[in-house]
Amino acid sequence: MATGRTHRPATRSRGIPEATVARLPLYLRALTALSERSVPTVSSEELATAAGVNSAKLRKDFSYLGSYGTRGVGYDVEYLVYQISRELGLTQDWPVVIVGIGNLGAALANYGGFASRGFRVAALIDADPAMAGKPVAGLPVKHTDELEAIIDDNGVSIGVIATPAGAAQQVCERLVAAGVTSILNFAPTVLSVPDGVDVRKVDLSIELQILAFHEQRKAGEEAMNDNDAPPAPAARAARRGKGPDGDVPAVMPA
């Protein structure tokens, strides 16, 4: 049996802020790309740019890990990859179950990044009896009747919910009752969980709505800039010799 449920990341016990924890995967992604290019060291400025944060925030985040870099040299890329991976709990195998194997669930099952980042898809689960036994991403889909046994047999502590909104809360409660303590929720609904259970929500429609807001604001700024632009040369020429109200002055200059 896997032992994923008995080993938890040490971030909370070491007092690392949640905001820093949320940025560690960004640093790890940037560092992994550098490692794949065989780059030995990186400066805080270069790594911050690659991760999309400012360098002062990066140095503060790394201070929580006890990593300060070397003046004039920077940070050792391979050591930071190991250090952050260990802090995130990625140096061990985390079995994951995905519940809801529709289009989204199947896409998640086929995502190749799980294995390379310390996660193993232990089972795919769906409520539709017609799905039972069908292979998806090399795994046979299991019926939800087997949910609790699968979690227990594989030592699963992380569950992914990709069901319709109406089924998500019930699935969540079954996952928690079976021993799952961390949930990644793709269903468009807010889950209610007891203390000690962590939920991360991924809502693609909300992200698109936020992008729509920014697009609308940019369009409004462009319209304002167009209105504030100086008159074109032809318009300025047409205005010459006219009074402030646009009419020709009564007395023309000599």
Side-chain angles (χ1 to χ4, degrees), residues 149-162:
I150 288 169
I151 291 172
D152 186 58
D153 291 345
N154 291 275
V156 174
S157 58
I158 300 176
V160 178
I161 296 177

Side-chain angles (χ1 to χ4, degrees), residues 119-143:
F119 301 94
R120 172 176 58 86
V121 178
L124 308 176
I125 301 172
D126 198 273
D128 184 358
M131 289 289 295
K134 287 188 175 181
V136 174
L139 290 174
V141 176
K142 303 291 186 179
H143 190 264

Side-chain angles (χ1 to χ4, degrees), residues 46-233:
E46 291 169 336
L47 183 54
T49 299
V53 303
N54 66 63
S55 57
K57 185 173 292 184
L58 178 144
R59 287 191 292 269
K60 180 68 173 177
D61 288 343
F62 284 1
S63 71
Y64 290 111
L65 306 180
S67 185
Y68 297 92
T70 303
R71 184 177 294 276
V73 176
Y75 294 94
D76 183 290
V77 170
E78 291 299 331
Y79 179 66
L80 268 185
V81 167
Y82 164 75
Q83 197 175 21
I84 294 175
S85 296
R86 182 188 63 185
E87 203 64 52
L88 289 172
L90 303 182
T91 54
Q92 67 183 75
D93 179 47
W94 290 98
V96 175
V97 295
I98 301 175
V99 184
I101 312 303
N103 291 334
L104 177 57
L108 292 171
N110 280 284
Y111 173 56
F114 284 130
S116 64
R117 288 166 173 81
F119 301 94
R120 172 176 58 86
V121 178
L124 308 176
I125 301 172
D126 198 273
D128 184 358
M131 289 289 295
K134 287 188 175 181
V136 174
L139 290 174
V141 176
K142 303 291 186 179
H143 190 264
T144 49
D145 289 346
E146 302 180 63
L147 176 66
E148 287 78 8
I150 288 169
I151 291 172
D152 186 58
D153 291 345
N154 291 275
V156 174
S157 58
I158 300 176
V160 178
I161 296 177
T163 66
Q169 182 61 45
Q170 182 181 13
V171 168
C172 173
E173 291 169 2
R174 288 184 63 184
L175 288 171
V176 172
V180 168
T181 52
S182 293
I183 294 173
L184 181 60
N185 178 32
F186 284 89
T189 187
V190 176
L191 298 176
S192 175
V193 297
D195 291 341
V197 176
D198 295 309
V199 176
R200 298 288 296 182
K201 180 171 174 55
V202 181
D203 193 320
L204 302 180
S205 65
I206 287 179
E207 299 303 323
L208 286 171
Q209 289 167 19
I210 292 171
L211 289 175
F213 164 80
H214 288 297
E215 285 300 310
Q216 178 176 258
R217 187 175 64 176
K218 285 185 285 189
E221 290 174 350
E222 289 174 0
M224 289 179 61
N225 290 336
D226 290 343
N227 291 337
D228 292 340

Side-chain angles (χ1 to χ4, degrees), residues 32-53:
T32 301
L34 292 171
S35 176
E36 290 172 350
R37 289 160 37 205
S38 300
V39 176
T41 59
V42 63
S43 69
S44 59
E45 289 79 10
E46 291 169 336
L47 183 54
T49 299
V53 303

